[in-house]
Amino acid sequence: MAKWAYERGLQQVGPGAYAYLQPDGSWGWSNAGLIADGDQSLLVDTLFQLSLTEQMLATMADAVPAARSIDTLVNTHADADHIFGNQLVKSAHIVASQAAAGEFLKVTPEDYGRIFENWQELGAGARYIHDCLGNEGFQFNDIVLTQPHETFVKEKRLKVGDKNVVLTAVGPAHTSGDVLVHAVEDRVVYTGDLLFSGAHPVLWEGSLEGWVAACDHILSLDIDVVVPGHGPLTDKTRVAEFRAYLLWFRDEVRKRFEAGLAIEETALEIVELPDLPEWNTPERIIGAVNFLYRKYGSPQATSNFLEIFGLFDRFLAKRAARTVKHDACNHGH
Ligand SMILES: [Zn+2]
């Protein structure tokens, strides 16, 4: 979308609403948001690293006086790249959905640290993580996982100054606990990882049908701007495209499951289909195929975090063997 720049840093997206973007949006490079009015402020998500979160908070405090002391922090879900900086937002009351709060300890900073240190012994999945994240200089030593102070089940309405903010728990979708943050007067919605703008979605838990319903919820809102969890700013057009993609993808996978194709065969066929959008990180397709096969009861499918990353690694190797172009981890070469 040419309307907005995809540049690192803070961008105003509504009268008192901001997005903090981290190109290129691949693994670990998430977006965050800020809603402010008068002397009050609400932060949407922290980042994967303390240093990145620190830099973001300083940028926000410089640009928006109300952000010098953040009143509320909403975590859209419990993935590491949206919560690992929580400890730095000392002034904030932290809110998440009840389902997300239950997932905060699923993969801890210590787990990431172990994978990064021992990746050579942990097989293909750890190698993929190391190749995609290890080269970015990420480190997890000083992170103290900081959990929500308050949770809600379906919906929570709050005020930032005079403005209305509506939090809606729409999971299970990308995860069990996904929350949409709607800045009503600013006409902006922050989707967390319910939208990967320009990239294939990470679908390995949650629910595809729930994700479609979450898209319907976004499409029902009166908004101008959609701030995705990763990738460039967009609007409802991309959400509608993504919703159609999910249904198309489900049908393509189901056909091949019923025809008896293995997970890898299905993924390798789908990635070659002419209807496939030209999004980055296509290896995520095999994770999503694995997820649907698991739902269909296939004994081939895995629910193990490192094994799923292992599928990505093998899928890239297979594709590289077939085609010359190899865009591992979506970093431009
Ligand atoms: Zn994310």
Side-chain angles (χ1 to χ4, degrees), residues 112-186:
Y112 274 99
R114 264 192 298 276
I115 293 168
F116 272 58
E117 267 171 44
N118 308 312
W119 65 274
Q120 276 155 313
E121 290 118 62
L122 292 173
R127 182 169 65 234
Y128 177 89
I129 295 175
H130 177 266
D131 288 354
C132 291
L133 294 169
N135 300 329
E136 309 281 359
F138 289 143
Q139 68 86 21
F140 305 93
N141 295 340
D142 301 319
I143 298 172
V144 179
L145 201 55
T146 305
Q147 301 201 50
H149 303 121
E150 183 188 342
T151 64
F152 66 98
V153 176
K154 273 287 12 125
E155 187 187 83
K156 182 176 168 59
R157 287 169 180 268
L158 37 91
K159 289 269 187 190
V160 176
D162 290 331
K163 293 196 306 197
N164 294 293
V165 176
V166 183
L167 312 181
T168 311
V170 290
H174 163 64
T175 64
S176 313
D178 307 290
V179 167
L180 292 168
V181 181
H182 178 203
V184 179
E185 288 82 0
D186 287 305

Side-chain angles (χ1 to χ4, degrees), residues 16 158 163 236 251 278:
L158 37 91
K163 293 196 306 197
K236 287 205 273 189
D251 293 346
E278 281 187 33

Side-chain angles (χ1 to χ4, degrees), residues 28-31 77 79-82 174 192-193 196 229-230:
W29 296 103
S30 50
N31 298 329
H77 61 299
D79 283 353
D81 51 335
H82 302 262
H174 163 64
D193 286 359
F196 289 80
H230 294 258

Side-chain angles (χ1 to χ4, degrees), residues 83-270:
I83 66 168
F84 272 10
N86 278 11
Q87 77 202 69
L88 295 177
V89 200
K90 294 200 170 63
S91 53
H93 181 68
I94 307 176
V95 182
S97 72
Q98 198 179 78
E103 294 185 327
F104 264 60
L105 295 170
K106 241 167 86 175
V107 189
T108 63
E110 292 74 26
D111 293 331
Y112 274 99
R114 264 192 298 276
I115 293 168
F116 272 58
E117 267 171 44
N118 308 312
W119 65 274
Q120 276 155 313
E121 290 118 62
L122 292 173
R127 182 169 65 234
Y128 177 89
I129 295 175
H130 177 266
D131 288 354
C132 291
L133 294 169
N135 300 329
E136 309 281 359
F138 289 143
Q139 68 86 21
F140 305 93
N141 295 340
D142 301 319
I143 298 172
V144 179
L145 201 55
T146 305
Q147 301 201 50
H149 303 121
E150 183 188 342
T151 64
F152 66 98
V153 176
K154 273 287 12 125
E155 187 187 83
K156 182 176 168 59
R157 287 169 180 268
L158 37 91
K159 289 269 187 190
V160 176
D162 290 331
K163 293 196 306 197
N164 294 293
V165 176
V166 183
L167 312 181
T168 311
V170 290
H174 163 64
T175 64
S176 313
D178 307 290
V179 167
L180 292 168
V181 181
H182 178 203
V184 179
E185 288 82 0
D186 287 305
R187 303 175 60 81
V188 175
V189 71
Y190 300 87
T191 67
D193 286 359
L194 292 167
L195 190 68
F196 289 80
S197 169
H200 281 280
V202 176
L203 173 62
W204 57 30
E205 51 183 358
S207 155
L208 188 144
E209 286 72 25
W211 207 330
V212 172
C215 289
D216 286 334
H217 188 93
I218 299 170
L219 293 169
S220 77
L221 300 174
D222 196 12
I223 47 170
D224 299 321
V225 186
V226 174
V227 181
H230 294 258
L233 296 167
T234 186
D235 57 22
K236 287 205 273 189
T237 342
R238 183 148 261 174
V239 177
E241 277 167 23
F242 178 63
R243 182 193 186 280
Y245 168 78
L246 284 173
L247 295 174
W248 172 84
F249 180 77
R250 181 188 64 184
D251 293 346
E252 293 297 337
V253 173
R254 182 81 211 186
K255 267 191 269 184
R256 289 169 176 81
F257 170 77
E258 279 166 8
L261 266 69
I263 290 171
E264 193 171 71
E265 290 171 304
T266 294
L268 287 167
E269 276 194 21
I270 288 178

Side-chain angles (χ1 to χ4, degrees), residues 14-46:
Y18 305 80
Y20 189 85
L21 305 177
Q22 295 197 102
D24 60 1
S26 56
W27 298 107
W29 296 103
S30 50
N31 298 329
L34 175 71
I35 303 167
D37 193 42
D39 62 356
Q40 296 195 338
S41 60
L42 179 151
L43 178 69
V44 182
D45 284 340
T46 56

